[in-house]
Amino acid sequence: MARDTPWRGASHHLRLWPPHTSDAYEEARRERNHFRPSYHQQDEMAPKYTLHYWPQIPGRGEYIRLAFEYSDVPYAENNDVTKLQALLDESAPTGSPHHFALPLLEITEGSQRQLISQTPAILLYLSQQIPRLYNSQTEAKSATATATATATTHIHTHQVLLTVLDLSNEVHDTHHPIGAGLYYEDQKPEAARRARDLREERLPKFLTYFDQLLTNLEGRVAIKGQTTVADLALWQVLEGLNFAFPQWCKRAREAGQYAKVWEFQRSVGEEDRIKAYVESGRRKPFSDGLFRHYPELDAAEGEGEGEGETKKRRVE
Amino acid sequence: MARDTPWRGASHHLRLWPPHTSDAYEEARRERNHFRPSYHQQDEMAPKYTLHYWPQIPGRGEYIRLAFEYSDVPYAENNDVTKLQALLDESAPTGSPHHFALPLLEITEGSQRQLISQTPAILLYLSQQIPRLYNSQTEAKSATATATATATTHIHTHQVLLTVLDLSNEVHDTHHPIGAGLYYEDQKPEAARRARDLREERLPKFLTYFDQLLTNLEGRVAIKGQTTVADLALWQVLEGLNFAFPQWCKRAREAGQYAKVWEFQRSVGEEDRIKAYVESGRRKPFSDGLFRHYPELDAAEGEGEGEGETKKRRVE
């Protein structure tokens, strides 16, 4: 779920893609090294997408970028902080209802212009619109399935995506346990305590869950053998975890914990479209966004040997 | 987004509705004081719903109960802690993928049995299945609208619902800023600091946003003049806020802040179906769930007169 991602100032803004004007958009399409004319020849009426998101950080925008990159659907991006802040104004011409926070997806189809916010809502929309993200296996089966069975199969992907994004939020809150509007430096003692809870309780709980899904679903987390927006999001979270908590991840790997999870991270990273994206230079590196590397929050030596919170009594 | 709601033990469990066996379910249907035979006569194949959720607390289950109560669709409820914990086991016969946390909705249709978890996913499913929660106004218009416009109208309700549930999570995290598995008593200093940030930064930001939506959308937050799952969820959050932060809410009302929000809370509470639910005694009272009343976390005298965090520098 997309909480607002704070942004520390307006002095730097990068644009991976030009803002959404038809000329700039066409130019971007031509320039993209993986542009495949066949896709567009097939569907001249394909919607035009613009992602509005803060510059520099991968952030929650990255979950949406991955959907486009994986499915080879072109998109423009607006990272102009002044324009972004204006889009969150209730008087902005974004339609109704207006938007609480970024990321924001703009869809232009003919003379129609629609905007959607909230990361899970955007990914739900895209997974209904983009054939490669759509569950073709389920569709093939659905002729004989009931309406309920078909609907719940689609909902299940959303269910797992929401759980992946819950983990993403929990990792973010580890370095911001008191307030998203305060600097990390102003909440370090609280962050240290929360990070211990993340390492000892929450990461094991989440990764055990995903490990089991990957075991049951032939290497994917929502639908057997098929890459969905839930898989792409989990891959990004795992990349972020390895950036933010390298010692913790290393020790878990070496201890043989969550083996399916690490194998999943490796195999998704080697998929053609993901590999091309990583190698393109377009992918924004982790820095001070959702996933941050503060060595003092990473696993301490000797952890797991009885030094954790002793007052834990609540049963889930 | 439904994080797992912890439960402190297995000694008490109430069942508003019997567990889902056909006899018990039929008995529950007959006993319900607002049972309307016309609904069932119209559709003998209507799905049978069972909500699986922790006993006693309203919690995240309440967002789902409200959808049923508002739309007058019968549902059973399972609050047996032992059975609930078993449903979260990956080997439980809940279908695939399995579930990370409660609430969990079971749908029985003929011989088919499906289960969905994650509060927003459950509400998305129900709002697609239950006519009264479905956007009839949008449907009427959609014959002339493009597919994109129709799809985004549905997505917009989900977008606003997700924002309401973000607020719900932030209020929960105020009394549990370090770990959901730790007692409040073990994180009181951190909670005091986070509560100040909630009162001074987050509540004003969220309630200003909802106040504007209510102004623009004729008293509702997602679709003009129409009550959706987003409205029902916002009503529950406002009820919870008035329970947890009565002083803060009182002062905001008296200062004339967020007037549309308080008017919305009053008017939804007076809707026939909501009023009948509240008066039925079925509605679980707030206690130690998502929304808790700790007087020390409520507004302090003199707050808002320059005593807040002074190091706040980040710009959103």
Side-chain angles (χ1 to χ4, degrees):
Chain A
M1 198 165 303
R3 299 193 191 166
D4 42 329
T5 296
W7 171 246
R8 287 191 193 201
S11 56
H12 301 282
H13 39 94
L14 307 170
R15 297 185 197 175
L16 275 188
W17 295 99
H20 187 246
T21 63
S22 57
D23 283 358
Y25 186 81
E26 287 306 315
E27 187 184 349
R29 275 175 50 165
R30 281 193 299 273
E31 284 183 1
R32 282 192 100 189
N33 58 4
H34 60 286
F35 170 59
R36 297 198 306 196
S38 59
Y39 176 87
H40 302 284
Q41 284 165 2
Q42 282 168 15
D43 185 0
E44 284 298 320
M45 289 301 288
K48 308 281 194 291
Y49 298 110
T50 304
L51 172 64
H52 299 274
Y53 195 63
W54 306 116
Q56 294 180 320
I57 56 171
R60 290 181 176 84
E62 192 67 10
Y63 300 117
I64 296 152
R65 290 182 197 107
L66 283 170
F68 288 123
E69 296 285 348
Y70 180 77
S71 55
D72 205 15
V73 170
Y75 65 106
E77 189 158 348
N78 166 32
N79 306 127
D80 183 311
V81 171
T82 305
K83 290 180 185 170
L84 291 170
Q85 286 173 329
L87 284 172
L88 299 178
D89 191 300
E90 67 122 356
S91 63
T94 61
S96 181
H98 65 280
H99 306 278
F100 186 74
L102 304 179
L104 209 159
L105 180 70
E106 180 178 344
I107 307 134
T108 308
E109 195 178 21
S111 63
Q112 298 240 347
R113 178 173 174 262
Q114 302 274 347
L115 292 105
I116 301 169
S117 56
Q118 277 282 4
T119 306
I122 293 169
L123 291 172
L124 178 69
Y125 177 83
L126 289 179
S127 63
Q128 291 169 343
Q129 298 290 322
I130 298 177
R132 184 153 181 189
L133 298 174
Y134 201 65
N135 182 4
S136 53
Q137 293 178 24
T138 306
E139 284 311 288
K141 288 180 201 154
S142 69
T144 56
T146 67
T148 300
T150 306
T152 52
T153 303
H154 287 284
I155 291 280
H156 279 151
T157 302
H158 197 52
Q159 167 189 315
V160 176
L161 171 70
L162 289 162
T163 307
V164 173
L165 296 178
D166 278 347
L167 172 56
S168 174
N169 279 342
E170 292 205 22
V171 177
H172 168 271
D173 290 354
T174 298
H175 50 73
H176 277 79
I178 299 302
L182 297 169
Y183 280 121
Y184 166 66
E185 288 72 18
D186 297 328
Q187 48 195 311
K188 284 179 77 169
E190 296 93 340
R193 205 172 160 213
R194 176 142 183 168
R196 172 156 223 148
D197 192 74
L198 183 84
R199 299 191 309 264
E200 296 186 355
E201 301 293 328
R202 304 304 289 170
L203 289 181
K205 184 175 167 79
F206 275 102
L207 296 194
T208 296
Y209 175 71
F210 291 122
D211 200 69
Q212 291 170 342
L213 290 184
L214 291 164
T215 302
N216 298 340
L217 293 166
E218 295 177 5
R220 292 299 179 267
V221 289
I223 298 168
K224 195 167 278 195
Q226 180 171 329
T227 303
T228 66
V229 289
D231 295 284
L232 297 173
L234 178 59
W235 180 72
Q236 175 66 9
V237 171
L238 293 172
E239 294 279 300
L241 273 181
N242 275 274
F243 169 77
F245 295 92
Q247 292 304 316
W248 188 91
C249 291
K250 180 168 175 281
R251 287 164 64 168
R253 280 179 208 265
E254 289 174 358
Q257 295 171 311
Y258 326 120
K260 292 278 182 187
V261 168
W262 313 124
E263 166 58 21
F264 168 85
Q265 186 192 357
R266 188 196 58 72
S267 72
V268 173
E270 287 180 359
E271 286 204 38
D272 288 349
R273 294 292 320 119
I274 299 297
K275 202 172 174 185
Y277 174 47
V278 171
E279 290 174 355
S280 71
R282 289 193 303 279
R283 190 171 185 232
K284 301 186 187 195
F286 293 111
S287 55
D288 65 345
L290 282 175
F291 299 99
R292 303 183 183 189
H293 178 53
Y294 295 117
E296 65 273 23
L297 300 186
D298 198 359
E301 286 299 322
E303 191 165 282
E305 298 171 13
E307 297 182 34
E309 300 270 3
T310 55
K311 293 183 179 174
K312 209 161 264 131
R313 288 169 306 219
R314 294 176 94 205
V315 178
E316 288 185 296
Chain B
M1 200 166 303
R3 298 192 189 166
D4 43 329
T5 296
W7 171 244
R8 286 191 191 200
S11 57
H12 301 281
H13 38 94
L14 306 172
R15 297 185 197 174
L16 276 188
W17 295 100
H20 187 246
T21 64
S22 57
D23 282 357
Y25 186 80
E26 287 306 316
E27 186 185 349
R29 275 175 49 167
R30 281 194 300 273
E31 284 182 2
R32 280 193 99 188
N33 59 4
H34 59 287
F35 170 60
R36 296 199 307 196
S38 59
Y39 178 85
H40 303 282
Q41 285 166 2
Q42 281 169 15
D43 185 0
E44 285 297 320
M45 289 300 291
K48 306 282 194 293
Y49 299 110
T50 303
L51 172 64
H52 298 274
Y53 194 64
W54 306 116
Q56 294 181 321
I57 57 171
R60 289 180 177 84
E62 192 68 11
Y63 300 118
I64 295 151
R65 290 184 198 108
L66 283 170
F68 287 123
E69 297 285 348
Y70 180 76
S71 55
D72 206 14
V73 169
Y75 65 107
E77 188 158 348
N78 165 34
N79 306 128
D80 183 311
V81 171
T82 305
K83 291 179 184 168
L84 292 169
Q85 286 173 329
L87 283 171
L88 299 178
D89 190 301
E90 67 122 353
S91 63
T94 62
S96 181
H98 64 279
H99 306 277
F100 186 74
L102 305 179
L104 209 158
L105 179 70
E106 180 178 344
I107 308 134
T108 309
E109 195 178 20
S111 62
Q112 297 238 348
R113 179 172 173 262
Q114 302 275 347
L115 291 104
I116 302 169
S117 56
Q118 277 282 4
T119 306
I122 293 169
L123 291 172
L124 178 68
Y125 177 82
L126 289 180
S127 63
Q128 291 169 343
Q129 298 291 321
I130 298 177
R132 183 153 182 189
L133 298 174
Y134 201 65
N135 182 3
S136 54
Q137 292 178 25
T138 306
E139 285 311 288
K141 287 180 201 154
S142 69
T144 56
T146 66
T148 301
T150 306
T152 53
T153 302
H154 287 285
I155 291 281
H156 277 151
T157 301
H158 197 53
Q159 168 189 314
V160 176
L161 171 71
L162 289 161
T163 306
V164 173
L165 295 179
D166 278 347
L167 173 56
S168 174
N169 280 343
E170 293 205 21
V171 177
H172 168 272
D173 290 355
T174 298
H175 50 74
H176 278 78
I178 299 302
L182 297 169
Y183 279 121
Y184 166 66
E185 289 71 20
D186 296 329
Q187 48 195 312
K188 284 178 76 168
E190 296 92 340
R193 203 171 164 216
R194 176 141 183 170
R196 173 156 221 146
D197 191 74
L198 183 83
R199 298 190 310 263
E200 295 185 356
E201 301 293 328
R202 303 305 289 169
L203 289 181
K205 184 175 167 79
F206 275 102
L207 295 195
T208 297
Y209 174 71
F210 292 121
D211 200 70
Q212 291 170 341
L213 289 184
L214 291 164
T215 303
N216 297 340
L217 292 167
E218 295 178 4
R220 293 298 179 266
V221 289
I223 299 169
K224 194 168 279 196
Q226 181 172 330
T227 303
T228 66
V229 290
D231 295 284
L232 297 173
L234 178 59
W235 180 72
Q236 175 67 8
V237 171
L238 293 172
E239 294 279 300
L241 273 180
N242 275 273
F243 169 77
F245 296 92
Q247 293 303 315
W248 187 92
C249 290
K250 181 168 175 279
R251 287 163 64 167
R253 280 178 207 266
E254 289 175 358
Q257 295 171 311
Y258 326 120
K260 292 278 182 187
V261 168
W262 313 124
E263 167 58 20
F264 167 84
Q265 186 192 354
R266 188 196 60 73
S267 72
V268 173
E270 288 179 359
E271 285 205 38
D272 289 347
R273 294 292 320 122
I274 298 297
K275 201 172 175 185
Y277 174 48
V278 170
E279 291 174 356
S280 71
R282 289 193 304 279
R283 191 174 184 229
K284 302 187 186 195
F286 293 112
S287 55
D288 65 347
L290 281 174
F291 299 100
R292 303 184 183 187
H293 178 54
Y294 295 117
E296 65 272 23
L297 300 185
D298 198 0
E301 285 298 321
E303 191 165 278
E305 296 171 15
E307 297 181 33
E309 300 269 3
T310 55
K311 293 183 179 174
K312 211 161 266 134
R313 289 170 305 223
R314 295 174 96 204
V315 177
E316 290 184 296

